[in-house]
Amino acid sequence: DVKVTQSSRYLVKRTGEKVFLECVQDMDHENMFWYRQDPGLGLRLIYFSYDVKMKEKGDIPEGYSVSREKKERFSLILESASTNQTSMYLCASSQARDSNQPQHFGDGTRLSIL
Amino acid sequence: AQSVTQLGSHVSVSEGALVLLRCNYSSSVPPYLFWYVQYPNQGLQLLLKYTSAATLVKGINGFEAEFKKSETSFHLTKPSAHMSDAAEYFCAVSYYGNNRLAFGKGNQVVVIP
C-alpha cells in the first residue's frame, strides 16, 4: 500500500513565522502535490513537482514556496505566515505523468495561524 | 481549462436509500475521471476511476459510476446507503494530460437512520 505521511496532524503558528510542512511518500513516486482544502472551496492546488529539484506553480501559489531535494520528500513553506493561510493542507503523490494514475493522499495537516 | 461541477454541497439520504451524487465535467479532450471519499480527519481515498476501458465503473464499498460522454457526466451511485457512508465525496478530472487534477467542491453526505 502507498503511504503518504505528513509530519504533523495539527499545527499552531503565529503571524509572520516561517512554517514548514513536510510530506514523505514510500512508493518511489515521481509526482508530488500540495493542496489546501477550505470549506465550500474543495481542494486547490498550490504547487506540484514531477521530479527532484523541479517545481511548478499550481492555482494558488502566492505566499508559498516548495522544496524537493529528495524524491520521497516534498516540503511546503509559508515564508511569512498570515491568518488567511489557516487551512487544511493535503499532500499527495502519484506514480507517473500519465493522466490515468490516481493520486494518493496523506491524512492532512490542520494549520492554524494566530 | 478543465473543470468539474458538483451540485449541492450537502446531501441527506436515508439509511437504505439510493445514494446519487452528480458530477459534470468540462473538457476539450477525452478525460480521466475520479471519485474520492474523505472521512472525518482523514485524507482522500480513491473510490473509483474512469480511464476509458468501460463506461460503468465499479469501486470500493459498493459504489459505482457511469461515464456518459453525451451528457459530460460521471455520476456516483450506491443502491443502499449505510451509516458508514457519511463522508465528503469529491469528483476530479485529470488536467492538461499530465496528472494534474481539477476537483469539484465536494458533497458532504449525511445518512439519516
Side-chain angles (χ1 to χ4, degrees):
Chain A
D1 254 6
V2 177
K3 185 71 173 175
V4 178
T5 302
Q6 295 184 230
S7 55
S8 304
R9 293 297 303 274
Y10 301 92
L11 207 54
V12 180
K13 297 292 182 180
R14 296 201 175 276
T15 304
E17 280 193 69
K18 190 170 186 177
V19 180
F20 294 85
L21 303 184
E22 307 287 346
C23 176
V24 176
Q25 49 93 5
D26 66 356
M27 285 302 292
D28 202 37
H29 283 173
E30 288 85 355
N31 310 326
M32 296 189 76
F33 306 83
W34 275 108
Y35 296 89
R36 65 176 282 174
Q37 181 181 11
D38 300 288
L41 297 179
L43 276 73
R44 294 179 291 168
L45 182 63
I46 305 171
Y47 268 98
F48 59 106
S49 168
Y50 290 133
D51 202 349
V52 176
K53 297 193 185 296
M54 291 184 64
K55 61 183 180 183
E56 295 193 38
K57 293 180 179 179
D59 300 316
I60 52 165
E62 295 78 19
Y64 304 93
S65 62
V66 291
S67 172
R68 195 169 181 196
E69 296 295 320
K70 294 185 178 182
K71 190 175 185 179
E72 68 271 17
R73 185 179 298 270
F74 193 36
S75 302
L76 179 70
I77 304 158
L78 286 65
E79 297 288 346
S80 178
S82 64
T83 54
N84 63 11
Q85 293 177 310
T86 291
S87 186
M88 169 72 92
Y89 290 87
L90 292 166
C91 175
S93 71
S94 64
Q95 186 172 13
R97 293 186 71 158
D98 296 336
S99 303
N100 63 354
Q101 295 298 316
Q103 293 182 15
H104 301 266
F105 286 81
D107 284 338
T109 296
R110 190 167 294 280
L111 176 64
S112 296
I113 307 296
L114 304 180
Chain B
Q2 295 172 341
S3 66
V4 171
T5 301
Q6 291 181 249
L7 296 179
S9 60
H10 286 75
V11 176
S12 294
V13 59
S14 297
E15 190 175 16
L18 171 72
V19 179
L20 170 61
L21 302 179
R22 300 179 188 275
C23 173
N24 289 89
Y25 67 91
S26 65
S27 174
S28 58
V29 296
Y32 296 111
L33 294 155
F34 305 83
W35 274 100
Y36 284 87
V37 61
Q38 184 180 33
Y39 298 104
N41 298 316
Q42 294 186 23
L44 276 67
Q45 178 182 357
L46 181 69
L47 267 180
L48 49 81
K49 65 177 184 179
Y50 167 74
T51 58
S52 76
T55 56
L56 184 62
V57 181
K58 293 187 183 301
I60 62 171
N61 302 338
F63 284 92
E64 63 182 34
E66 185 173 10
F67 173 71
K68 292 186 177 180
K69 185 178 179 180
S70 60
E71 298 177 8
T72 61
S73 69
F74 190 55
H75 301 333
L76 182 72
T77 60
K78 181 175 180 178
S80 177
H82 191 273
M83 295 300 293
S84 61
D85 294 326
E88 190 157 21
Y89 294 80
F90 293 94
C91 183
V93 62
S94 67
Y95 195 48
Y96 294 154
N98 60 9
N99 203 233
R100 272 183 72 166
L101 290 177
F103 283 88
K105 289 180 168 37
N107 295 122
Q108 184 68 52
V109 171
V110 175
V111 182
I112 302 167

